[in-house]
Amino acid sequence: MDSIAIYSPLQGKTMPLSKIADQRFSKEHFGPGVVVLPRKNYVYAPFDGVLVSVAENRHGLWFRSREGIELLVHVGLDTVFLNGECFSTMVEPGTSVSCGQAVLEFDRKQIRRKGFSTATPIVITNSGLPGRLHITKRRYVSPETMLMYISCS
């Protein structure tokens, strides 16, 4: 295996984790990654694998790739306080997913109207990666865009 590809789970504009106000993400407490400012209302599976878990308030999704990479997609900042409002899951936890498959719908305009940021951290949560992590330099991404990859050679 030369590399493990992680595709963007959102369509939108990228920015470094270090630029967001939430220190848990900006200081990489959950792991390394990137932020996407969404332009559409869907989260897509970033690789073939399993949707391991969905937060009770549906704002956070955890995926595991076939290679064992664990990825958190946290839609918005402090959106846990919406208590699930503005979020609708399309796939049940424990379900196998295919790269690019829609798994969550959210209302980004309503989230912003309620005073929350839609900046979405996307982080690798398991340590001990089998290689070096590379994050895209692209400013705009879509589910067809490789967001990150792990070089294993």
Side-chain angles (χ1 to χ4, degrees), residues 5-8 44-49 66 97-102 143-145:
I6 301 167
Y7 288 83
S8 181
Y44 302 92
F47 40 62
D48 292 341
R66 292 179 178 163
V97 293
S98 298
C99 187
Q101 178 182 349
E144 297 83 28
T145 307

Side-chain angles (χ1 to χ4, degrees), residues 107-118:
D107 187 335
R108 69 189 196 289
K109 290 180 182 175
Q110 185 68 8
I111 291 169
R112 285 194 299 263
R113 275 195 289 272
K114 290 183 173 286
F116 296 91
S117 169
T118 57

Side-chain angles (χ1 to χ4, degrees), residues 17-37:
L17 275 178
S18 61
K19 299 291 184 192
I20 61 174
D22 188 319
Q23 299 242 335
R24 296 167 297 171
F25 287 108
S26 66
K27 301 290 185 191
E28 296 188 357
H29 290 264
F30 296 112
V34 65
V35 174
V36 174
L37 303 169

Side-chain angles (χ1 to χ4, degrees), residues 18-139:
S18 61
K19 299 291 184 192
I20 61 174
D22 188 319
Q23 299 242 335
R24 296 167 297 171
F25 287 108
S26 66
K27 301 290 185 191
E28 296 188 357
H29 290 264
F30 296 112
V34 65
V35 174
V36 174
L37 303 169
R39 292 209 168 161
K40 299 285 182 182
N41 291 331
Y42 292 93
V43 173
Y44 302 92
F47 40 62
D48 292 341
V50 175
L51 175 61
V52 176
S53 181
V54 176
E56 183 178 341
N57 293 332
R58 299 186 299 273
H59 65 288
L61 304 117
W62 288 266
F63 296 91
R64 184 179 304 116
S65 74
R66 292 179 178 163
E67 299 85 4
I69 301 303
E70 296 172 0
L71 190 82
L72 166 64
V73 178
H74 191 283
V75 181
L77 301 177
D78 294 325
T79 48
V80 65
F81 298 112
L82 290 170
N83 296 315
E85 189 179 340
C86 304
F87 300 96
S88 177
T89 54
M90 303 165 79
V91 176
E92 293 298 317
T95 304
S96 292
V97 293
S98 298
C99 187
Q101 178 182 349
V103 296
L104 178 83
E105 184 177 9
F106 60 97
D107 187 335
R108 69 189 196 289
K109 290 180 182 175
Q110 185 68 8
I111 291 169
R112 285 194 299 263
R113 275 195 289 272
K114 290 183 173 286
F116 296 91
S117 169
T118 57
T120 300
I122 301 161
V123 298
I124 295 176
T125 58
N126 55 330
S127 58
L129 297 177
R132 185 168 179 260
L133 178 65
H134 303 269
I135 298 173
T136 187
K137 302 281 188 224
R138 296 181 102 179
R139 188 166 167 91

